[in-house]
Amino acid sequence: MPATRLLWFLLLGLVPTLASAETCLSPYVKRLDRPESYLYVFCVDADAQDNDFIAVIDVNPDSARYGTLIQTLDLGSKGNETHHWGFTDDRTRIWAGGLLSSRVWIIDVATDPAKPRIEAVLDDIPQKTGLSGPHTYYALPGRMLISFLGAADGGLPAGLAEFTNDGKFIRRIENPKNAPYGYDLAIKPGLNRMVSSSFTPKRNYRKPLAQMDLKDFGSEMVVWDFKARKPLQVGKAGLAPLEVRWSLKPENDYGFTNCALDNSIWRFRGQPDGTYEFKKVAQTGALPADLRQSPDDRYLFVSCFGDNLIQQWDVSDPDQLKLFSTVSPMVQPNMMHLTGDGKRMYVTNSLLSTLDHAGRFYVRLVHVGPDGMKVDPFFNVDLNKLPTGPARGHDMLVN
Amino acid sequence: MRTIASWFAALAFTGLVSYPGGVPGMPALSRSAEPEAPKERAPRVDKTSSASPSPLADIGPAPTVELTDAQGKPFALAKLRGKVVIVSFVFTTCGGSCPATTFSLTRVQRALQAAGLWSKRVEFVSISLDPSRDTPEVLTAYARNYRADLAAWHFLTGPPDRVSQVIAAWGMWARPGPSGTLDHPSRIFLVDPSGRQREIYNLEFLKPALVLQDVQSILAETEAESGPANEPTVR
C-alpha cells in the first residue's frame, strides 16, 4: 500500500466514530476512550447557607460503591448559583461557573479523576469582560469560549469571551445589536459556522419566577462566521431558545434548539444562498429546559421541566419530528447527560433556585434502548440528606 | 400551539407559580424566520482596514524554545522572529495523532511552497514529546520519511527535563495513557512574526487552505503595520 494511502487511513482512524461519540460537547473535546467511571454533578447548596460544591458519583458498574456519592469538592463560597460547565479540549480541566456570582472555577480532573481539585478561581470575570452570567463553556483548541447571559451590570447586552485554558483573558466578542440576549453556543467547524441563542440577563433571572419580566427574554438566534467571530445573521425562533445542537453528521447543515417559553423545538438550516432558515418543527411538553442528542444523530431528548417528563423525538426527518418515547424519572427533570455509547442518560432536577419547585433533588439514570427510554429503578442518588442539607444538582459531566 | 400562557398555566397547575391577576400574556415577538441578505461562507478577513480587529486574536506570547535540532545543532525559536512559525508536538513512535499531524503539515508545507511563502516567510517547528527515544538521528529519519523540508522544518529534541519544561510552557503534556503509549493533546500553534500565538488548530479540523489563509492574514497585517517584512532578525 502506498505510504500516502496508508497515512490517509491513519487520518480516517482519528475521526471519532459517530455512533460512539459523546454528544453535546464541543467537537474539540477529547472523547472518553472507555466507559465512564465517574459522574460529576455541579451542585447548589439548596438553602444557600453552605458552600456550593461538586459531587462525584461512582458510575462504574463493577465498583462496590456504584451509584453512590463518593466525594465532594467544596468550592469555597456560597450563593453562586453554580450552573453549567465544560471540559477543556484535552479533558484535563473543567471550567465551571456561577450565574449569580459570575465566579468561574478551573477544576483539575486529570490528576485524580475521583478527587477533582480547584486549580484556580476567577473572581474578576465581569471586570475583564464587561459581561456577567457565564453560561456555556465551549472548548476550543487550547482555549475556552464562554457565552454570557448579560452585561457586567446584570443588564444587556450579552456577549462571548475567550480565555486560555489556564484562565488568561484573550478577547471579548460582541453580540450583534439586534440580538442582545445570550445563552448557549455551538460550533460546526467543518462549515465554519457558530450559532448562539438567547435567554434573559441577571436582572431578570435572579428574581423569583413570579416577578420575572416576560418581555425581558430573547428569541433571537445568531449565525456566526466562526473563524472570524463575526455575526452573519440574526434569526428568530420561539421565546427563549436555549440549547444549540448541530446535527452530528458532518454533511448536515442544520441543527435544533429548544424554546423554553414557547414549548417547542425549532430547526435551523442552511440555505443554498448561505442564509439560515428558522422553523418550528415540534411542540413539546411544558418548559423544554434541556436538549440532548443520540450519538447516531437520530434522536433528540427534551426534558420538559414543567410537565415532569423527558421526551425522545425521532429526528430522522428534521422537518417532521416524531415523538418516540417518554419517561418521568422524577419531578421537574432538567439536565441530562448521555454517555458516548448513547445507552445511559443521567438526569438531575434543578434548573435555577428561582425556578425549582421540586423541593427534593436526585440524580437518576435512564437507559436508552431500541424501544425507547426506561428509568433505572435502582439508580437514585439522593441529594437531600447530605451533611450540608439538600443540594440542587444541575449540570453533569462524565469521566 | 402551546404558548407561554399555557406554560405558565402548566406551572400554575403544578403549584410552581400562582398569578392572582391571571396568567401573563405572550410578549409581542415575531416567530417568523427572518433571514438577512445572502452571506459568504468563507471567513471574512478585512485586510484593508487597520481599524478592523484581526480575526486572529493575540492568544499570548509563544513560550521560549531552546533545544537541539535534527542536525544536532542548538536551535532557538527566537531566531525565527520576523517569520510566521507553525509549532507542533509529536513523537516518532506515536501510533495516534502524530503521524496524521506530521502528514497534514506536509500538505500545509506544499501549500505554502506553492504560494511562495515556504522558508522565506514561514517555517515549521516540531517538538518531540518523547526526547529519550527521539534523538537527532531518529528525527532526521522521521522527517525524511514524511518528505519534510528540513531547510525550514525544525524537528527538535534535547535533554528530557529541558524538553519537559518546553512542553509544559506551551500548556502541553504527554503521559502514559491506558494502553501504555503516550497520551497527549492535539494542538498545532500558529505564531506570528513578533512571537505571539495567534491561532491553535486541532488536527481533526486542520486544512491547508485554512492555514494558508491565516498565514496570509498575519503577513498582510504585519506589512500594514511595518511595511514588507525584512529578513528575520537573528538574536
Side-chain angles (χ1 to χ4, degrees):
Chain A
M1 180 181 290
T4 303
R5 192 173 299 173
L6 176 63
L7 282 164
W8 273 115
F9 273 110
L10 283 170
L11 271 174
L12 286 172
L14 289 170
V15 178
T17 306
L18 189 64
S20 62
E22 274 179 283
T23 63
C24 306
L25 297 179
S26 160
Y28 298 108
V29 172
K30 184 183 178 72
R31 263 41 185 178
L32 200 59
D33 55 2
R34 51 174 171 71
E36 71 278 12
S37 299
Y38 306 105
L39 174 73
Y40 304 133
V41 185
F42 207 15
C43 293
V44 177
D45 181 65
D47 59 9
Q49 297 302 305
D50 294 284
N51 290 345
D52 300 320
F53 63 95
I54 293 172
V56 182
I57 295 167
D58 187 330
V59 288
N60 175 2
D62 297 327
S63 167
R65 300 188 294 176
Y66 174 75
T68 64
L69 193 155
I70 59 170
Q71 183 76 22
T72 58
L73 173 65
D74 185 327
L75 293 172
S77 56
K78 57 191 174 185
N80 296 286
E81 196 64 42
T82 43
H83 196 69
H84 279 204
W85 54 9
F87 281 115
T88 53
D89 62 335
D90 59 0
R91 217 183 176 104
T92 59
R93 298 168 171 130
I94 290 174
W95 276 55
L99 284 184
L100 291 180
S101 65
S102 293
R103 187 172 284 126
V104 170
W105 295 264
I106 302 177
I107 309 293
D108 167 18
V109 291
T111 303
D112 184 350
K115 294 180 180 176
R117 68 174 189 90
I118 297 173
E119 184 178 294
V121 183
L122 308 182
D123 286 315
D124 56 356
I125 294 279
Q127 291 86 346
K128 284 188 171 170
T129 63
L131 299 165
S132 70
H135 185 270
T136 295
Y137 301 81
Y138 207 82
L140 305 178
R143 291 152 289 165
M144 292 298 285
L145 178 60
I146 301 179
S147 62
F148 290 81
L149 299 186
D153 63 1
L156 296 171
L160 313 175
E162 266 178 69
F163 296 81
T164 60
N165 277 356
D166 58 359
K168 296 184 184 71
F169 175 59
I170 298 173
R171 63 173 158 179
R172 170 177 166 161
I173 300 156
E174 304 289 342
N175 262 26
K177 285 189 169 47
N178 55 342
Y181 292 92
Y183 187 79
D184 194 24
L185 69 90
I187 298 165
K188 186 98 169 180
L191 298 175
N192 185 35
R193 288 293 174 266
M194 174 168 73
V195 170
S196 61
S197 57
S198 296
F199 186 52
T200 192
K202 182 179 171 182
R203 68 186 176 200
N204 209 25
Y205 67 71
R206 71 181 175 190
K207 298 176 187 171
L209 177 65
Q211 296 173 23
M212 285 186 188
D213 180 356
L214 293 174
K215 293 179 181 173
D216 198 12
F217 288 84
S219 58
E220 297 81 13
M221 298 192 76
V222 183
V223 180
W224 302 72
D225 178 328
F226 165 61
K227 183 71 181 174
R229 311 287 200 274
K230 285 188 176 176
L232 298 175
Q233 178 186 343
V234 175
K236 289 235 176 183
L239 196 60
L242 299 185
E243 318 304 327
V244 181
R245 309 297 185 203
W246 285 98
S247 165
L248 298 170
K249 293 181 179 175
E251 68 273 20
N252 287 344
D253 189 4
Y254 63 79
F256 302 93
T257 189
N258 51 309
C259 298
L261 301 185
D262 186 49
N263 303 330
S264 61
I265 298 172
W266 283 59
R267 189 265 294 134
F268 53 92
R269 185 199 286 275
Q271 304 297 297
D273 66 359
T275 62
Y276 278 74
E277 176 204 42
F278 296 82
K279 179 184 173 186
K280 185 173 183 171
V281 289
Q283 196 74 41
T284 66
L287 213 167
D290 192 15
L291 186 69
R292 298 281 155 166
Q293 297 166 286
S294 65
D296 62 3
D297 214 30
R298 181 172 174 184
Y299 298 106
L300 285 177
F301 301 90
V302 186
S303 60
C304 302
F305 187 78
D307 272 344
N308 306 324
L309 57 83
I310 295 174
Q311 296 177 328
Q312 179 182 14
W313 291 85
D314 185 332
V315 296
S316 302
D317 179 347
D319 286 320
Q320 299 289 333
L321 274 53
K322 295 174 184 170
L323 188 60
F324 185 71
S325 77
T326 61
V327 291
S328 184
M330 71 262 263
V331 174
Q332 293 192 323
N334 180 15
M335 294 304 288
M336 303 170 282
H337 192 90
L338 197 62
T339 55
D341 58 10
K343 294 179 179 176
R344 297 171 300 291
M345 184 164 67
Y346 300 98
V347 186
T348 57
N349 67 329
S350 167
L351 199 164
L352 283 169
S353 299
T354 50
L355 294 175
D356 291 340
H357 162 63
R360 298 185 67 76
F361 305 99
Y362 303 90
V363 184
R364 300 301 304 268
L365 172 62
V366 172
H367 297 283
V368 182
D371 59 344
M373 301 178 290
K374 302 282 191 299
V375 179
D376 187 310
F378 304 109
F379 190 101
N380 188 8
V381 180
D382 189 341
L383 297 177
N384 304 288
K385 297 175 182 174
L386 304 173
T388 52
R392 307 168 191 269
H394 190 68
D395 210 354
M396 294 165 283
L397 287 169
V398 295
N399 206 1
Chain B
M1 171 179 168
R2 295 187 70 163
T3 64
I4 189 169
S6 66
W7 170 65
F8 270 84
L11 293 182
F13 179 76
T14 62
L16 175 58
V17 61
S18 62
Y19 291 96
V23 176
M26 172 84 85
L29 287 171
S30 168
R31 295 292 179 278
S32 61
E34 297 178 1
E36 294 183 335
K39 301 295 189 299
E40 296 175 5
R41 302 180 76 70
R44 296 187 301 192
V45 180
D46 183 356
K47 297 178 184 174
T48 58
S49 170
S50 58
S52 176
S54 169
L56 300 173
D58 181 351
I59 298 170
T64 300
V65 178
E66 292 179 352
L67 295 170
T68 304
D69 69 14
Q71 284 77 46
K73 297 176 182 174
F75 175 90
L77 179 63
K79 287 185 177 179
L80 298 182
R81 290 281 166 82
K83 293 187 180 184
V84 173
V85 185
I86 293 174
V87 179
S88 62
F89 292 81
V90 297
F91 64 102
T92 60
T93 55
C94 174
S97 64
C98 309
T101 298
T102 306
F103 176 66
S104 288
L105 287 175
T106 63
R107 298 178 66 217
V108 178
Q109 173 190 293
R110 287 200 292 277
L112 292 166
Q113 286 168 332
L117 298 172
W118 178 251
S119 184
K120 296 175 190 168
R121 311 295 299 277
V122 187
E123 300 205 14
F124 286 3
V125 167
S126 292
I127 298 167
S128 173
L129 292 165
D130 188 8
S132 58
R133 292 189 193 186
D134 291 342
T135 62
E137 296 76 20
V138 169
L139 289 175
T140 299
Y142 181 81
R144 284 184 181 147
N145 189 47
Y146 285 91
R147 298 181 182 175
D149 176 12
L150 286 171
W153 191 336
H154 312 277
F155 287 83
L156 306 182
T157 186
D161 57 342
R162 191 184 300 171
V163 174
S164 293
Q165 289 172 1
V166 170
I167 291 169
W170 284 77
M172 294 288 290
W173 50 266
R175 52 176 166 258
S179 64
T181 59
L182 281 180
D183 190 14
H184 59 91
S186 166
R187 296 186 197 126
I188 298 155
F189 300 83
L190 180 68
V191 178
D192 74 11
S194 59
R196 310 289 300 183
Q197 294 180 57
R198 301 298 299 277
E199 182 59 290
I200 307 172
Y201 304 103
N202 172 288
L203 170 64
E204 191 179 338
F205 302 105
L206 182 74
K207 295 177 181 173
L210 183 69
V211 180
L212 179 61
Q213 187 171 23
D214 287 347
V215 167
Q216 289 170 329
S217 172
I218 286 174
L219 292 175
E221 172 192 307
T222 305
E223 289 176 10
E225 289 171 359
S226 58
N230 297 318
E231 290 300 309
T233 304
V234 177
R235 299 183 183 180

